[in-house]
Amino acid sequence: MGDHDHRSDGDPTDDRERPDRVEQSALEDEADDAERGRAEIRDRQEREGEHAGHERGDDRDGHGAEHDHSGDNGHGDGHSGGMHAGHETMFRRRFFVSTLLSIPVLLYSETLQGWLGFTVPAFPGSEWISPVFAVIVFAYGGVPFLRMAVPELRERAPGMMTLISMAITVAFVYSLASLVFPTQTAFFWELVTLIDIMLLGHWIEMRSVRRASSALDELAKLMPDTAERITDDGETEEVPAIDLEEGDLVLVRPGASVPADGVLEEGESDVDESMITGESTPVSKEPGDEVIGGTVNGDGSLRVRIGATGEETTLAGIMRLVEEAQSSESKTQALADRAAGWLFYVALGAAVVTAVAWTVATGFDSAVIERVVTVLVIACPHALGLAIPLVVAINTSLAARNGMLVRDRIAMERARTLDTVVFDKTGTLTEGEQGLVDTATVDDVTTDEALALAATVEGDSEHMIARAIREAADDRGVSRGTAADFEALKGRGVRATVDGDEIYVGGPNLLSELEGDVPADLERFADRAGENAQTVVYLVREGEPVAAFALADVIREESYRVVDALHELGLEVAMLTGDSEDVARAVAADLGIDTVFAEVLPDDKDEKITELQEQDKSVAMVGDGVNDAPALARADIGIAIGSGTDVAVQSADIVLVQNNPMDVVRLVKLSRASYRKMRQNLVWAAGYNVFALPLAAGVLAPVGILLSPAVGALLMSLSTVIVAINAQFLRRVDLSVPNLPDVAAPREPRPAD
């Protein structure tokens, strides 16, 4: 994910670009001419810059992001997602067809008939059933592996494709030769079962890998398709947003999105910038303030002078960061492919030694060829093809049942190597909504009385501060009264009459207008709250301030447990926030967070991830906002809170669909358990070779022990069964949290000061 690929012992170190290109080659062979023609047209359009002028819902959304609906061959949801969807389709289809065609080969195999004690009717020409159907299976199910092995050989980096190709090619050629030259046995049934198992393994793997990578599409959707441009005569005209130019004046109605970056010339409103900044509180805008394209206007009418359009906007800059981070994503190779590379050389070496030794001992004859062929064929165990995909499939299923959507299996595997988990503060460690965190009163007014009055006045308001006050009153069981003559005072607060008293609730602007003196106790309270970046609103009765309320984003109850549990797993915890240093340090101290990045601008979040990676740390980023998307893509593992914006989810490798940051702990535990199973399966698969290859080569021939091809095939099947059963034990892993020693129990929700 980041510029650095951090691994612990036993991790594969090769780059995964080679297998992706290999598999893409096979996929392209599956695509029909029409699809290739469409792809060429799209590529040409991209080169010519023909990205504009399409309405939302068509192949493009009007902002340069394509939506390709290309069907089976899977280019429709991004390169990565479409490619793997096409691979899944290809391997699934070939598996079922090849398995069906393999049945006659198995039924007419003399070896299987002898083992299982059955016979099938013979008829003139029945001896050709096995070879004919085996040839068809090889051509349909086996040739794709040969094609995918070519780049591996060209780059002198043999892997699983090379090993599979060697085994099926040797078995195929030798078996065909056995029809002409006298040999003791043929490998037709071993050939078809090997191809079937490998197709099944790759189908399972591709189904687990498939993902839809549409982060840039989701970013583009934040921008409106049209804008209301104000003409010289003061009238408005609706124009495509992409036609706006610097200097245009546009009208932004209440609830509408700002079409491009600009400066507010007329009007006042609270603008929701959470999709850009990640912060939950709307930002008050007045003439002279800058506004960002893609943000949502509140309840005021605004006239904005456009200052930047297209690629110059803030949102476009974030899109470029996401694209850059995704393109620089480091990849890792599956453990099985690395093991296959080793095994390829071992098999070749064993075959050469076998040929030389037997030729010296007995002379060169058909028996020597059969011995060499046996070594090469059984060098590729079925178990190796299933060792990783079976674990991945179970891993993905377990993750889904525990609230984790795995969009990148490599990220899931890599989670076990994490050194540091970085959390975005707002909406991840905190609720992302304003909550009442403290109250101060004067004279004889009690906290409950003040809260009851404020909640009564705010009873008809939908502002987030009003909701926070009402929720606090409900939580404390405070009864609300009846308000009359309610009035919203724009930019200042609200007013109403309660039991004959005129009650105001609002911020400092309200006090300035009322020209009331603030009691010293309330002033000190407001100063403390301001130092902690809390919002302060006052309760004014009959012109006199009698109470003050401090509101802030509230820390999630689970956040305390998450930090403790991650520490127990040996991980460092860091926090990213745009808040001031003092506020960030206070939250970090409360939660026990190790590293704090405060006052971080949205464009700089991914740079902080890079800083950690440059310290040779493997980093996970957990976030939920548009501004988190570049950091999610840059991190070794991007983890999105499911309640976050679509773009954050699309930029991530893992999505916590239940919005519970505690699932980060489950992710690490599941990754570690899955890796143990992968290694165990690889030991079983490789152990088969450690035992079978020397016997097939004839190491114990002097004492009368010589592994026949039939027994080798039996051992091959046995190792496959063991691997399959061992993978199922992963379902028993305990993902309950906490089940770690000394992990703190849940605490009461605390404010994010």
Side-chain angles (χ1 to χ4, degrees):
M1 295 292 301
D3 291 328
H4 305 273
D5 194 6
H6 310 280
R7 304 176 178 85
S8 62
D9 292 343
D11 262 1
T13 57
D14 293 331
D15 193 282
R16 233 180 103 236
E17 289 182 3
R18 172 174 49 78
D20 278 351
R21 291 200 305 270
V22 169
E23 292 173 351
Q24 180 65 19
S25 172
L27 179 60
E28 288 173 353
D29 180 67
E30 287 295 294
D32 56 27
D33 291 339
E35 168 54 25
R36 282 197 290 269
R38 287 193 296 269
E40 290 173 2
I41 292 173
R42 290 193 301 270
D43 291 342
R44 184 168 63 252
Q45 288 176 335
E46 289 176 0
R47 290 193 298 270
E48 295 172 355
E50 297 174 0
H51 294 281
H54 296 269
E55 296 180 359
R56 191 186 305 265
D58 291 332
D59 287 332
R60 301 169 189 262
D61 57 20
H63 303 282
E66 288 195 18
H67 301 276
D68 175 9
H69 314 284
S70 36
D72 264 357
N73 293 307
H75 300 278
D77 38 356
H79 174 75
S80 176
M83 182 179 66
H84 290 302
H87 293 170
E88 179 187 353
T89 299
M90 180 187 74
F91 284 120
R92 181 181 67 242
R93 181 173 59 247
R94 295 197 180 227
F95 166 71
F96 282 118
V97 173
S98 297
T99 300
L100 184 64
L101 295 174
S102 297
I103 294 175
V105 181
L106 300 179
L107 291 177
Y108 280 88
S109 168
E110 294 181 359
T111 301
L112 289 183
Q113 290 181 23
W115 283 353
L116 302 178
F118 73 92
T119 58
V120 291
F123 52 86
S126 60
E127 69 274 11
W128 291 99
I129 289 181
S130 287
V132 168
F133 278 89
V135 167
I136 297 174
V137 171
F138 178 81
Y140 183 70
V143 167
F145 292 111
L146 303 184
R147 190 176 296 114
M148 290 187 287
V150 172
E152 290 185 353
L153 294 174
R154 185 183 300 122
E155 296 181 18
R156 299 178 182 178
M160 179 64 78
M161 297 301 108
T162 306
L163 185 61
I164 295 172
S165 298
M166 179 186 69
I168 63 177
T169 300
V170 170
F172 177 71
V173 173
Y174 180 80
S175 298
L176 287 184
S178 70
L179 299 177
V180 180
F181 303 101
T183 59
Q184 294 183 5
T185 185
F187 292 96
F188 286 122
W189 79 269
E190 293 95 332
L191 170 65
V192 297
T193 54
L194 181 57
I195 291 173
D196 293 342
I197 289 294
M198 292 306 166
L199 288 171
L200 174 61
H202 279 71
W203 171 29
I204 293 174
E205 186 175 15
M206 288 302 105
R207 184 177 61 184
S208 301
V209 171
R210 174 168 41 94
R211 57 178 292 187
S213 180
S214 55
L216 297 180
D217 290 348
E218 297 299 335
L219 278 168
K221 289 177 184 176
L222 292 177
M223 299 297 290
D225 284 335
T226 61
E228 290 190 69
R229 184 165 57 193
I230 300 176
T231 61
D232 293 338
D233 58 5
E235 299 296 324
T236 61
E237 59 178 355
E238 186 172 293
V239 298
I242 58 175
D243 289 347
L244 290 176
E245 297 178 356
E246 185 176 346
D248 283 347
L249 186 65
V250 297
L251 172 65
V252 184
R253 298 182 185 275
S257 295
V258 179
D261 292 2
V263 177
L264 181 58
E265 285 202 354
E266 183 180 339
E268 294 182 358
S269 183
D270 290 338
V271 177
D272 182 2
E273 296 184 343
S274 60
M275 68 285 295
I276 300 295
T277 65
E279 300 305 320
S280 56
T281 305
V283 180
S284 296
K285 299 290 183 180
E286 56 188 28
D289 290 341
E290 294 183 353
V291 291
I292 302 172
T295 57
V296 180
N297 185 22
D299 54 7
S301 181
L302 305 179
R303 281 169 169 75
V304 176
R305 183 72 65 180
I306 301 300
T309 61
E311 293 300 311
E312 302 302 319
T313 62
T314 300
L315 188 59
I318 294 178
M319 292 174 67
R320 283 194 297 273
L321 287 174
V322 172
E323 190 170 26
E324 176 189 342
Q326 288 179 334
S327 65
S328 65
E329 176 182 0
S330 59
K331 300 178 181 179
T332 186
Q333 195 178 32
L335 287 173
D337 196 67
R338 189 183 182 197
W342 294 337
L343 192 53
F344 173 78
Y345 290 114
V346 171
L348 285 183
V352 171
V353 171
T354 300
V356 172
W358 279 87
T359 300
V360 170
T362 64
F364 184 79
D365 56 17
S366 61
V368 174
I369 297 177
E370 181 174 308
R371 190 56 35 204
V372 171
V373 169
T374 301
V375 169
L376 293 176
V377 171
I378 69 174
C380 181
H382 298 59
L384 192 59
L386 291 177
I388 302 303
L390 279 177
V391 174
V392 169
I394 296 172
N395 168 296
T396 305
S397 175
L398 280 175
R401 288 205 300 270
N402 285 274
M404 295 168 279
L405 174 61
V406 179
R407 306 184 67 247
D408 185 342
R409 73 173 175 88
I410 299 300
M412 168 60 85
E413 293 172 10
R414 196 186 297 136
R416 67 180 182 82
T417 70
L418 288 174
D419 302 309
T420 304
V421 178
V422 181
F423 289 93
D424 174 62
K425 180 179 77 69
T426 303
T428 304
L429 291 175
T430 68
E431 297 287 353
E433 297 179 356
Q434 293 288 305
L436 181 64
V437 296
D438 203 359
T439 306
T441 61
V442 296
D443 299 333
D444 296 330
V445 179
T446 67
T447 298
D448 285 352
E449 288 173 345
L451 193 56
L453 278 174
T456 300
V457 175
E458 297 280 20
D460 293 331
S461 175
E462 288 302 315
H463 195 279
M464 65 171 58
I465 289 178
R467 290 197 300 269
I469 291 175
R470 292 199 302 269
E471 289 174 1
D474 293 340
D475 290 342
R476 297 191 183 192
V478 174
S479 300
R480 286 186 255 164
T482 302
D485 302 325
F486 175 84
E487 180 184 3
L489 307 174
K490 190 169 184 58
R492 301 181 299 282
V494 295
R495 184 200 68 81
T497 301
V498 180
D499 296 333
D501 292 333
E502 188 176 44
I503 307 295
Y504 291 85
V505 178
N509 290 339
L510 174 67
L511 296 185
S512 298
E513 180 177 295
L514 296 178
E515 298 180 352
D517 294 330
V518 181
D521 289 346
L522 297 188
E523 277 193 345
R524 287 191 294 270
F525 174 83
D527 290 341
R528 288 196 306 270
E531 291 173 359
N532 291 325
Q534 296 170 351
T535 300
V536 177
V537 295
Y538 296 91
L539 176 69
V540 180
R541 182 172 60 187
E542 293 297 323
E544 297 294 329
V546 295
F549 306 99
L551 299 101
D553 200 358
V554 178
I555 294 177
R556 288 174 181 257
E557 176 184 350
E558 314 92 83
S559 296
Y560 299 94
R561 300 174 62 202
V562 168
V563 175
D564 290 342
L566 288 174
H567 283 158
E568 289 293 337
L569 290 173
L571 303 180
E572 294 182 11
V573 182
M575 183 179 72
L576 270 174
T577 178
D579 288 343
S580 67
E581 190 78 26
D582 291 341
V583 173
R585 293 290 176 189
V587 174
D590 197 17
L591 289 173
I593 289 173
D594 306 298
T595 304
V596 177
F597 298 104
E599 301 178 8
V600 181
L601 297 175
D603 290 352
D604 298 334
K605 286 193 173 184
D606 67 321
E607 294 180 4
K608 300 304 179 182
I609 300 298
T610 302
E611 284 183 22
L612 293 171
Q613 290 173 330
E614 289 174 347
Q615 299 172 25
D616 201 30
K617 293 181 178 180
S618 180
V619 182
M621 170 67 190
V622 186
D624 74 329
V626 170
N627 67 95
D628 300 325
L632 288 170
R634 179 75 66 184
D636 296 279
I637 302 174
I639 304 172
I641 296 292
S643 62
T645 61
D646 287 343
V647 66
V649 170
Q650 295 296 341
S651 299
D653 304 300
I654 312 290
V655 180
L656 308 183
V657 294
Q658 296 178 357
N659 310 325
N660 187 355
M662 185 59 75
D663 287 335
V664 176
V665 181
R666 295 186 177 92
L667 168 67
V668 176
K669 294 180 67 177
L670 179 58
S671 176
R672 292 179 177 180
S674 299
Y675 181 71
R676 286 195 299 270
K677 284 300 173 188
M678 290 179 185
R679 295 191 66 172
Q680 291 168 7
N681 276 359
L682 288 176
V683 167
W684 279 111
Y688 155 83
N689 288 89
V690 170
F691 176 76
L693 278 179
L695 292 182
V699 171
L700 298 182
V703 295
I705 300 177
L706 189 63
L707 184 67
S708 69
V711 175
L714 180 62
L715 291 175
M716 183 189 296
S717 300
L718 181 61
S719 67
T720 303
V721 171
I722 293 173
V723 163
I725 293 174
N726 186 54
Q728 295 300 319
F729 284 128
L730 179 61
R731 300 184 185 277
R732 299 185 179 183
V733 64
D734 183 9
L735 295 180
S736 59
V737 176
N739 67 343
L740 305 167
D742 304 323
V743 173
R747 311 181 204 183
E748 291 298 316
R750 300 287 300 278
D753 295 331

